[in-house]
Amino acid sequence: MPTAGPSAAHDPNCLFCKIVAGKIPSKKVHEDEEVFVFHDIHPWAPVHFLMVPKVHVPSLAHAGPDHVGLLGRMMALAPKLALEQGCRPYPEGGFRVVVNTGAEGGQEVHHLHIHVMGGPRPWLKG
Ligand code: AMP
Ligand code: ZN
């Protein structure tokens, strides 16, 4: 098991902690020991899912040495899930990865999440 570091906790008031715990329903894409992946409720693109660590890390601004392995595994998982969800292969297809961080970064839910978006254009946004 990777060490989760000082943020190894679940915030009872956090929307994405509740989704990870199954207290709020979601359309699950993938789950393993440390990562939960589900469809965005307001998709911007034909494929739009969110990848979250099961531990409550508030944002990418909170990432440090303890999170290197976890973040690396999440990034390495993104292309596999993107293809499984219907993104066409690189280079004609591909996908976009976004991590909104803080107010000026456009972050609304304060549990670190990676947006993965793809599929035929036009998209609703972006
Ligand atoms: P951000 O602005 O990066 O914090 O993005 C938060 C994302 O979470 C938005 O794209 C929302 O559509 C999405 N979202 C909010 N509530 C839910 C929910 N209950 N299930 C799935 N996605 C959600
Ligand atoms: Zn959380």
Side-chain angles (χ1 to χ4, degrees):
M1 276 286 281
T3 57
S7 55
H10 305 283
D11 178 344
N13 299 313
C14 167
L15 175 65
F16 288 173
C17 281
K18 289 180 191 170
I19 285 180
V20 168
K23 290 177 184 157
I24 289 178
S26 68
K27 283 170 65 184
K28 185 162 85 176
V29 167
H30 168 91
E31 180 175 10
D32 61 40
E33 270 187 7
E34 57 183 358
V35 182
F36 195 88
V37 184
F38 53 100
H39 290 280
D40 196 292
I41 205 165
H42 295 127
W44 298 5
V47 176
H48 187 174
F49 58 84
L50 303 174
M51 309 180 70
V52 308
K54 286 188 170 177
V55 295
H56 180 80
V57 180
S59 81
L60 191 60
H62 297 75
D66 285 343
H67 305 96
V68 167
L70 169 67
L71 291 171
R73 286 186 288 276
M74 289 175 74
M75 288 297 275
L77 181 60
K80 175 178 177 281
L81 298 181
L83 287 175
E84 284 176 10
Q85 291 303 309
C87 294
R88 293 192 305 130
Y90 176 95
E92 293 81 9
F95 52 87
R96 177 178 292 178
V97 169
V98 172
V99 185
N100 296 325
T101 305
E104 292 181 351
Q107 184 178 7
E108 289 178 359
V109 178
H110 290 269
H111 179 130
L112 172 62
H113 51 282
I114 300 176
H115 293 257
V116 181
M117 289 162 277
R121 290 179 177 269
W123 294 356
L124 204 58
K125 288 195 226 174

